[in-house]
Amino acid sequence: MARRPLVMGNWKLNGNKAFTKELIEGLKKELADVKGCGVAIAPPVMYLAEAEVALAGQDVIALGSQNVDLNVSGAFTGDISTEMLKDFGAKYIIIGHSERRTYHKESDEFIAKKFAALKTAGLVPVLCIGETESENEAGQTEAVVSRQLDAVLDTLGAEAFNGAVIAYEPVWAIGTGKSATPAQAQAVHAFIRGHIAKKSQAVADQVIIQYGGSVNDANAAELFTQPDIDGALVGGASLKAPAFAVIVKAAEKAKA
Ligand code: 13P
């Protein structure tokens, strides 16, 4: 069944006000004619205001965020809520990125709660999952992604993945220049879809599964030839408008 691909840029901890405006102006020029691929960007939350203004008046590029906290208001120093993200027009919200799992000790259970908070708020969770290099070498990839998915499936049910996005990001491929091969990624994507299909085939058929980890303008097209790779979550290459545009257009062409 046809799924509309989604390519999202995760800017991570990069940029400033001027960079945010410039990059978005570049993206608007490069991507103005894109129809067959969803596009989203997640700048640092500090710059959502600049991004919202720069994106106004176009509907190709959607706004997102790299994280969200659980509580909606009150005495929670430093937190950012779903309602605040909505206030700036953010829609696609990354949760469970390996950098947060590692540096902020976020657990599967905690990430599942964030997933629930996003669904309650009507926002789109972009749930990142993936194994480390040592887990990969130990043959644990399927066990790890199953555990990460089950934290959501067992608490919220398969239906929670209706309209949601999964990003398979093998940790060993992030920022290393060593992307998974298209065949390697396809095998895990098919496993992920099959794991959800055990609960609901209809939900599995529609869920977007992005690949992330060293996606660039040179390797994207081949990754998108794979039937279960529905787009990409892009780090480094999303910081340059021409490279990001090549990736978006490759997805549009491959899935047309
Ligand atoms: P890179 O594209 O820089 O490897 O980062 C991938 C990533 O972590 C996106 O969330």
Side-chain angles (χ1 to χ4, degrees), residues 10 12 97 99 169 173-176 212-215 233-237:
N10 174 7
K12 306 192 181 182
H97 194 282
E99 287 150 18
E169 299 206 306
I174 295 175
T176 58
S214 298
V215 176
L233 186 56
V234 184

Side-chain angles (χ1 to χ4, degrees), residues 1-6 36 193 202-209 227-230 251-252 254-256:
M1 94 173 244
R3 290 176 294 271
R4 189 169 194 254
L6 174 68
R193 200 178 304 285
V203 172
D205 283 343
Q206 59 75 52
V207 74
I208 298 284
I209 309 178
D228 288 293
I229 300 183
D230 307 320
E252 183 179 40
K255 306 297 178 182

Side-chain angles (χ1 to χ4, degrees), residues 67-81:
N67 186 32
V68 68
D69 296 298
L70 284 182
N71 295 292
V72 172
S73 67
F76 301 100
T77 302
D79 279 9
I80 305 288
S81 74

Side-chain angles (χ1 to χ4, degrees), residues 48-66:
L48 287 183
E50 281 77 17
E52 184 188 27
V53 170
L55 290 171
Q58 58 82 51
D59 59 6
V60 175
I61 308 164
L63 191 54
S65 159
Q66 302 171 18

